[in-house]
Amino acid sequence: MIIPEKQLQNECTNMEEAWQDHSEAANNAIDDAPPPAYSECVQHTQIASLCSTGFQPPSKPTNLLSLVFKDKPIRGCYVIDPLMQIPPSLLPPLNAGEKDQDRKNLYLRTKDGSIDADIWLIGQDEAASHNGSRTTLSLSSNDGSITAKINTVKAVAPFLLDIYARDGRVIVLLPRSFHGLLLLTTRQSAKLSNDLLQRSTTLSTVEHTQRYFVGDISHRLFDNNWDGDELKVVSRDGSIVIRYKDEAELPRNCFFSRVFSS
């Protein structure tokens, strides 16, 4: 649950006033009065800590969001509704040679810093035909690690997550609903969790690129271009770890990870 900032401030003020009254009463109490219960002190400490924090995750979805920084990390929770219409006049200008269809639903880019993104994709109550369109997500850093967690709400359209980290480690946490391609490129190790490996078909390993298909591939009809779920990760000098978001962190001595690592 997200507490509105105004409500949170009011609760903080009420708590401070109540605590002041409590302190004055305690000062006027007799010397042998029992101290306040430990649980009350802990509860007050927790509320005070909550009131002092300035970070509030977004409470409303957005779309076509771009965050571009030069030398700072990117950390946050991003709620994306790919069907939300944003007036073009409110969007940043396109780069030379780009068209409106080149815009990403979420674009996070930093030149020198890490990225830690908790991404929520908003869908519809019932699955609808996506007509070849996918939700596009792009994360990149020239000097820093990248962690991306994908959460889905309702029936979401297929998504393409494209990650580039030149010198950093990449960790991706996928939803169980992911059904599609994995393309992992690195000169270091690329590890899949045991659950993910059990649901994946190994397609190829060519030089530094490993390809998998997650889900049932036996009855899937392919056109020339795949338009379902897809994860592309490129990390030149960093390792890659892929697992489901509800799985525990991969152990360092995972047998299957060693077998399928390059």
Side-chain angles (χ1 to χ4, degrees):
M1 180 181 68
I2 299 175
I3 303 175
E5 182 177 358
K6 184 176 181 181
Q7 178 182 347
L8 190 60
Q9 292 175 348
N10 292 337
E11 292 180 359
C12 291
T13 302
N14 294 336
M15 177 58 67
E16 290 175 356
E17 293 176 352
W19 188 253
Q20 290 176 356
D21 294 340
H22 174 75
S23 299
E24 292 177 359
N27 291 334
N28 296 329
I30 57 176
D31 294 338
D32 59 348
Y38 175 75
S39 60
E40 293 178 0
C41 296
V42 173
Q43 183 180 14
H44 170 71
T45 302
Q46 292 173 340
I47 295 177
S49 176
L50 176 63
C51 294
S52 63
T53 180
F55 173 75
Q56 289 293 319
S59 59
K60 293 183 178 180
T62 186
N63 194 20
L64 304 176
L65 175 64
S66 295
L67 296 179
V68 180
F69 298 122
K70 182 178 179 180
D71 56 359
K72 62 185 298 185
I74 298 176
R75 296 186 179 92
C77 177
Y78 308 98
V79 183
I80 302 299
D81 181 355
L83 297 181
M84 177 180 289
Q85 299 295 320
I86 305 295
S89 60
L90 301 180
L91 298 174
L94 293 167
N95 295 324
E98 288 185 335
K99 300 179 181 179
D100 285 335
Q101 55 265 33
D102 296 325
R103 293 188 186 274
K104 311 298 183 185
N105 298 100
L106 176 64
Y107 181 75
L108 305 180
R109 162 74 173 151
T110 180
K111 183 177 180 181
D112 186 7
S114 61
I115 296 177
D116 190 347
D118 188 9
I119 302 170
W120 291 78
L121 302 180
I122 307 300
Q124 299 175 305
D125 291 328
E126 297 181 359
S129 175
H130 63 281
N131 297 323
S133 62
R134 296 189 288 187
T135 301
T136 53
L137 315 167
S138 178
L139 286 64
S140 64
S141 173
N142 284 350
D143 188 9
S145 62
I146 296 179
T147 299
K149 179 181 180 181
I150 308 299
N151 308 274
T152 57
V153 179
K154 301 179 181 179
V156 301
F159 66 86
L160 167 61
L161 174 56
D162 195 343
I163 297 178
Y164 172 78
R166 188 180 66 181
D167 297 325
R169 185 187 190 194
V170 176
I171 300 176
V172 181
L173 286 68
L174 294 173
R176 292 277 178 175
S177 60
F178 183 91
H179 184 195
L181 288 169
L182 301 178
L183 285 80
L184 314 177
T185 302
T186 179
R187 293 187 291 192
Q188 304 299 321
S189 64
K191 301 180 180 181
L192 273 62
S193 68
N194 289 338
D195 276 9
L196 201 52
L197 278 172
Q198 291 174 2
R199 292 169 171 78
S200 300
T201 300
T202 303
L203 301 178
S204 66
T205 299
V206 180
E207 294 185 351
H208 303 300
T209 299
Q210 302 177 35
R211 297 171 183 265
Y212 304 88
F213 188 89
V214 181
D216 184 10
I217 195 175
S218 59
H219 302 292
R220 191 77 182 186
L221 298 178
F222 291 91
D223 296 325
N224 292 331
N225 296 315
W226 170 251
D227 61 1
D229 290 331
E230 187 170 354
L231 170 63
K232 296 180 179 180
V233 179
V234 176
S235 181
R236 189 185 67 177
D237 294 322
S239 61
I240 298 174
V241 176
I242 314 295
R243 60 185 174 90
Y244 288 118
K245 65 185 183 70
D246 58 351
E247 281 188 286
E249 185 175 354
L250 282 178
R252 293 183 180 273
N253 59 348
C254 175
F255 173 75
F256 288 106
S257 297
R258 294 201 308 270
V259 170
F260 287 91
S261 297
S262 60

